[in-house]
Amino acid sequence: MLSRLPQGALKNAARNVNASRSAVRARFASTTSGSSSAFQTFLNSRAALASATLATVGSVAWYAHLYGSLPFFPEVHANSPAEEGLHPPQYPWSHKGLLDSFDHASIRRGYQVYREVCAACHSLDRIAWRNLVGVSHTADEVKVMAEEVEYEDGPNDQGEMFQRPGKLSDYMPPPYPNEEAARSSNGGALPPDLSLIVKARHGGPDYIFALLTGYTEPPAGFEIRDGMNYNAYFPGNAISMARVLFDGLVEYEDGTSATTSQMAKDVVTFLNWAAEPEHDERKKAGLKAVILFSALTAISLYVKRYKWSYIKSRKIRKCCLVD
Amino acid sequence: MSIANTFYNVFVKRNSVYVTTIFAGAFAFGVGFDLGVTSFWDRWNQGKQWKDIRHKYVEAESD
């Protein structure tokens, strides 16, 4: 099966020899030989075509990535770029690298910030008390925290609903009974559930950190309605949530000084954990997968070369192939 | 050569032994690989994981 390849090649070569023997000089290249023609041959080659295409596509993609639009296609926007929200800077999160786990002390502080500040307005529907066990708190601590909250349960054997203290299996209590209550307490704006907010926003943790720490006075000429607040990172720049984090707002049990940016960092780390509780295991499994698959790739490359070495080093005797 | 022969005679000759060797080897490799990766992971992320800070809060419970 494989012997066909060199066989065909040899036939071609044989034909070449025959052709040059006859008076007509047959040329199998599109150009004459010579130093300039090497360049010509390159120009006509597929490699040249492929690399020119690659260079074109690459530079257009690079331009689009850098400037956000295609070159030579001017666009008109009613908004200024600032109104779509300033891009957040990239922060050096402790869990940013491919092999970096969450900083669990930060998750613990972040939970405290969520509980003491954000929980007044934002629910955290998808996190149950039990999820904190072994992540930021011990089981005994979480049991005590859950018991402080009353949950409705039932019906009992008289068919009535009753109140009971929370258990590990209960989910985090919402601040408002329903969306309408949440809106009417917040000037019509719904404070979104924070369970998946880090995944749900472009820029992820960087955006939320920038949002929480990015409140400023509106620039001159920017009209802002009553009850709205200026934030350059929020799309539209006017957000219903006022600045909530101020230096010294909470008191950390581990003695970390509670500056605005420290609290923002901790609460965002906590929310990042809430959105990706599998994060640490995922990165560890990724490390294992990379090691195993690169070993398997190396082995299969070696085996391929080993098996093919016999086929590739055969000698084919010319005498017998020319007919 | 003799090592290869010994290997063949001890592990490969009888299919029952061969299959058992493969299964036991896979199990042992799985455990060893996991231990290795975990020790690297724990060193790389020293002080950040729950098991590194757990003692602070468990001790507080007991007294």
Side-chain angles (χ1 to χ4, degrees):
Chain A
M1 159 194 81
L2 296 155
S3 56
R4 294 243 173 89
L5 235 154
Q7 194 176 4
L10 282 173
K11 267 186 187 158
N12 270 348
R15 234 183 280 134
N16 258 345
V17 175
N18 289 339
S20 60
R21 231 182 260 141
S22 61
V24 188
R25 229 181 120 238
R27 279 175 44 225
F28 289 89
S30 57
T31 50
T32 49
S33 59
S35 61
S36 76
S37 76
F39 180 63
Q40 289 267 311
T41 322
F42 170 72
L43 276 192
N44 293 331
S45 70
R46 286 192 188 185
L49 187 66
S51 46
T53 311
L54 209 65
T56 314
V57 172
S59 49
V60 169
W62 187 21
Y63 183 97
H65 174 74
L66 199 58
Y67 297 108
S69 65
L70 289 175
F72 314 121
F73 290 98
E75 293 173 26
V76 179
H77 291 287
N79 292 359
S80 78
E83 283 168 279
E84 290 177 1
L86 209 57
H87 277 203
Q90 293 182 4
Y91 297 104
W93 296 104
S94 53
H95 56 272
K96 189 173 175 134
L98 286 177
L99 298 178
D100 293 339
S101 75
F102 279 131
D103 179 356
H104 287 244
S106 183
I107 296 181
R108 187 181 170 103
R109 293 191 297 268
Y111 170 74
Q112 187 186 349
V113 177
Y114 167 75
R115 177 57 53 212
E116 292 180 18
V117 185
C118 321
C121 301
H122 290 280
S123 56
L124 196 65
D125 283 351
R126 279 154 207 267
I127 300 298
W129 293 107
R130 62 184 159 79
N131 294 131
L132 298 176
V133 176
V135 171
S136 57
H137 295 76
T138 64
D140 294 334
E141 287 174 316
V142 182
K143 275 183 194 155
V144 173
M145 296 188 312
E147 278 164 12
E148 285 166 8
V149 183
E150 289 233 309
Y151 285 84
E152 189 179 52
D153 204 349
N156 61 12
D157 44 11
Q158 273 104 52
E160 278 150 21
M161 304 300 278
F162 58 92
Q163 299 292 107
R164 60 155 178 81
K167 298 188 282 194
L168 283 181
S169 55
D170 286 314
Y171 282 78
M172 297 271 154
Y176 302 105
N178 49 53
E179 186 182 328
E180 285 71 13
R183 280 191 191 279
S184 81
S185 310
N186 286 286
L190 176 72
D193 183 82
L194 293 185
S195 319
L196 293 169
I197 198 79
V198 169
K199 273 180 172 168
R201 289 295 178 274
H202 189 72
D206 291 334
Y207 165 70
I208 302 196
F209 182 92
L211 185 81
L212 292 173
T213 55
Y215 287 90
T216 53
E217 287 297 308
F222 190 90
E223 292 283 328
I224 196 145
R225 280 196 291 123
D226 259 6
M228 300 291 265
N229 308 274
Y230 182 80
N231 192 311
Y233 296 99
F234 188 67
N237 297 166
I239 183 168
S240 300
M241 173 170 75
R243 177 176 170 182
V244 286
L245 296 177
F246 296 92
D247 288 354
L249 189 60
V250 304
E251 200 175 314
Y252 285 135
E253 58 184 355
D254 62 2
T256 308
S257 70
T259 58
T260 302
S261 53
Q262 179 70 45
M263 286 184 289
K265 177 229 159 194
D266 290 337
V267 78
V268 172
T269 305
F270 169 72
L271 293 175
N272 206 149
W273 165 78
E276 294 180 281
E278 81 292 352
H279 173 280
D280 291 0
E281 277 307 306
R282 171 163 62 76
K283 282 183 175 172
K284 202 170 155 189
L287 173 61
K288 284 187 195 173
V290 168
I291 294 175
L292 284 182
F293 283 128
S294 22
L296 290 179
T297 308
I299 292 175
S300 53
L301 286 177
Y302 168 76
V303 170
K304 184 261 166 189
R305 286 180 67 112
Y306 180 75
K307 297 278 185 198
W308 276 65
S309 63
Y310 155 73
I311 297 168
K312 289 200 165 184
S313 56
R314 275 183 311 181
K315 256 192 186 163
I316 296 168
R317 279 164 64 208
K318 209 170 170 181
C319 68
C320 319
L321 294 172
V322 182
D323 38 36
Chain B
M1 211 58 216
S2 73
I3 296 179
N5 278 337
T6 321
F7 179 83
Y8 180 85
N9 287 330
V10 174
F11 293 114
V12 188
K13 212 163 195 177
R14 292 174 62 87
N15 197 44
S16 54
V17 177
Y18 189 42
V19 170
T20 315
T21 309
I22 291 174
F23 276 61
F27 181 77
F29 173 79
V31 173
F33 185 62
D34 192 60
L35 283 176
V37 168
T38 304
S39 86
F40 165 77
W41 176 264
D42 290 347
R43 216 170 333 120
W44 185 270
N45 292 305
Q46 205 158 35
K48 289 164 73 186
Q49 300 186 83
W50 170 245
K51 59 180 155 199
D52 302 327
I53 58 170
R54 180 174 178 275
H55 63 274
K56 293 186 201 165
Y57 308 107
V58 175
E59 267 171 18
E61 291 290 313
S62 61
D63 48 46

